[in-house]
Amino acid sequence: LGANTDLQAIEAWLSLLSSKSKHTQIAYKREIERFYLWALLERNKALSSLDALDCAAYGDFLLNPPAHWVCALPYPRNHAMWRPYRGGLTHNSAQRSQAAIARLFSDLVSSQYLRANPMPRMFGKQSQGLKLDVMRSFTLEDQDHIAQSLKALPDTASGRRTRALIMLLMGTGLRASETQTTHASILQLRDHERLSEQVGLRVIGKGKKERIVPLRSELVQALNAHRADLFQLVGGTPIEELPLIGKLAKAPIHSEAQTSFAGKALSTSGMHSILKSFFARVAKQRAVHTDFAKASAHWLRHTFAHQVLAATDNDLVVVQQLLGHSSIQTTAIYVKANVESRMKAINAMESPIFD
């Protein structure tokens, strides 16, 4: 790696991730930075001096970081109140963090910067089992509640942005990170070598794989309404360069840099905040059985997958293309999770035992 210090080794390793998607690079950098800070501040050790017991202790730390590592508000990094965490991570998030660190150590060993990998694989392989999806999607009744809450949103720039975001995620199955694109990614579709009246969204997903997702006219109208709001805030910017989902306001009052953030693409954390606020409103306004407090962008992606499967009579190839899965085995998880056909089979059984 041409590195003489741990920091140089980390920076060199991060530079080798250029082939990964931007979202993956950001995720790796965030997890490695947190771990590096923890090693220096909590264990008083250099990265290259950590052992397996240190790494095991970090796993416990992720689940319950002490108060001085946590802040509730998203302060900018140069602010004195900034902290790396918003709270303890879930077990799955902690596993992903440890897996990223294990990857760093493994590559540092391969490059002969380190002799051994101190991160034990005690965190287990992340499961893609049925629990991943069955309890993390919306029923038709839930979707009715969501639709009613969307209609009840105020006719303001903020309300129109929330409506566009929900419809975009529900109507395309995009990952949250994939929404960070511009209107230049919307193009007219071809049908049998002829231009169609319908438009689609060009998406660059995981592994920099490209796919085209057709857009319903109602979704295009919602995106255009939000785009008009952004154009009023940052007039002069070509409309095709405006983000699909953008920021509406200036930097928060606790920021030292009061330059306008309006018109820039909304971050995944910003989307998360909007979704949490909206789903809390759904739960408050409607009598719901689903735990909307746990709902996220991925719930909308899972719901989209189930809807497309039902609409195409379980056409896995179409669903795989729309979701951007690299393996059709991943797409097949949704079929396994769908118990409706099994319920029909059981209830249709004919046997005198059950008469």
Side-chain angles (χ1 to χ4, degrees):
L1 292 174
N4 296 314
T5 67
D6 290 350
L7 185 56
Q8 289 177 357
I10 292 173
E11 290 175 342
W13 181 78
L14 288 172
S15 70
L16 297 176
L17 299 178
S18 58
S19 61
K20 301 288 186 181
S21 69
K22 181 180 178 181
H23 178 68
T24 299
Q25 293 180 52
I26 292 174
Y28 270 114
K29 184 176 181 180
R30 179 185 64 243
E31 299 308 332
I32 300 306
E33 180 185 41
R34 287 173 170 177
F35 181 65
Y36 187 54
L37 287 172
W38 173 84
L40 296 176
L41 300 178
E42 295 292 330
R43 307 300 276 193
N44 196 28
K45 286 185 175 183
L47 184 82
S48 52
S49 297
L50 294 172
D51 57 33
L53 294 179
D54 294 320
C55 292
Y58 184 65
D60 295 330
F61 171 87
L62 290 173
L63 300 177
N64 188 28
H68 62 277
W69 280 78
V70 176
C71 65
L73 297 175
Y75 290 99
R77 294 174 57 83
N78 61 350
H79 195 282
M81 294 298 293
W82 176 84
R83 297 293 182 272
Y85 295 96
R86 300 288 176 267
L89 303 186
T90 65
H91 284 279
N92 282 345
S93 294
Q95 287 180 1
R96 285 193 293 269
S97 177
Q98 290 171 291
I101 297 162
R103 169 72 183 275
L104 166 68
F105 278 131
S106 177
D107 289 349
L108 292 183
V109 171
S110 298
S111 65
Q112 298 184 357
Y113 181 79
L114 294 179
R115 289 186 178 181
N117 184 347
M119 177 63 78
R121 296 200 60 83
M122 59 180 60
F123 42 87
K125 187 175 181 180
Q126 193 173 349
S127 173
Q128 287 188 320
L130 301 185
K131 185 174 67 172
L132 172 74
D133 173 64
V134 172
M135 302 306 294
R136 296 175 60 199
S137 60
F138 295 113
T139 65
L140 288 176
E141 182 181 2
D142 293 333
Q143 294 174 54
D144 284 337
H145 293 316
I146 291 173
Q148 293 174 41
S149 294
L150 282 177
K151 293 177 182 177
L153 286 172
D155 190 20
T156 61
S158 178
R160 288 188 286 271
R161 179 177 65 178
T162 299
R163 185 177 297 108
L165 175 59
I166 297 291
M167 293 180 69
L168 177 63
L169 294 173
M170 182 74 88
T172 62
L174 295 184
R175 303 175 180 92
S177 60
E178 293 172 342
T179 64
Q180 295 179 317
T181 186
T182 67
H183 280 265
S185 298
I186 297 179
L187 44 86
Q188 200 167 5
L189 299 180
R190 286 182 176 272
D191 182 18
H192 300 298
E193 300 304 322
R194 295 181 180 178
L195 286 176
S196 167
E197 294 183 358
Q198 189 166 6
V199 299
L201 182 67
R202 177 177 177 266
V203 182
I204 306 299
K206 283 187 175 181
K208 296 187 177 180
K209 293 182 176 64
E210 179 181 332
R211 68 185 189 276
I212 303 295
V213 181
L215 303 180
R216 295 174 64 106
S217 59
E218 300 89 347
L219 169 55
V220 175
Q221 292 173 9
L223 291 174
N224 288 342
H226 173 53
R227 183 181 66 182
D229 291 327
L230 292 178
F231 187 73
Q232 286 187 344
L233 290 171
V234 293
T237 301
I239 57 176
E240 65 271 12
E241 294 181 11
L242 290 172
L244 288 186
I245 306 295
K247 297 180 180 180
L248 296 173
K250 293 184 177 181
I253 57 174
H254 52 253
S255 171
E256 296 176 1
Q258 286 297 319
T259 55
S260 177
F261 279 40
K264 296 184 179 179
L266 190 66
S267 66
T268 52
S269 61
M271 292 182 193
H272 180 75
S273 297
I274 291 174
L275 293 176
K276 286 296 182 184
S277 177
F278 175 77
F279 290 138
R281 178 181 304 192
V282 175
K284 184 178 181 180
Q285 294 178 345
R286 317 290 172 188
V288 296
H289 301 291
T290 301
D291 188 356
F292 274 83
K294 296 181 180 179
S296 65
H298 238 59
W299 282 49
L300 297 170
R301 177 171 165 84
H302 292 322
T303 304
F304 171 82
H306 284 302
Q307 289 178 320
V308 176
L309 278 171
T312 61
D313 195 22
N314 289 344
D315 191 329
L316 287 178
V317 175
V318 171
V319 181
Q320 179 192 14
Q321 292 171 340
L322 288 173
L323 292 177
H325 287 155
S326 58
S327 170
I328 202 168
Q329 299 301 319
T330 303
T331 313
I333 293 174
Y334 292 103
V335 176
K336 295 177 183 176
N338 186 359
V339 299
E340 183 177 358
S341 57
R342 278 171 275 171
M343 289 191 297
K344 288 181 179 179
I346 292 296
N347 293 331
M349 287 174 54
E350 294 184 4
S351 172
I353 297 177
F354 301 107
D355 291 342

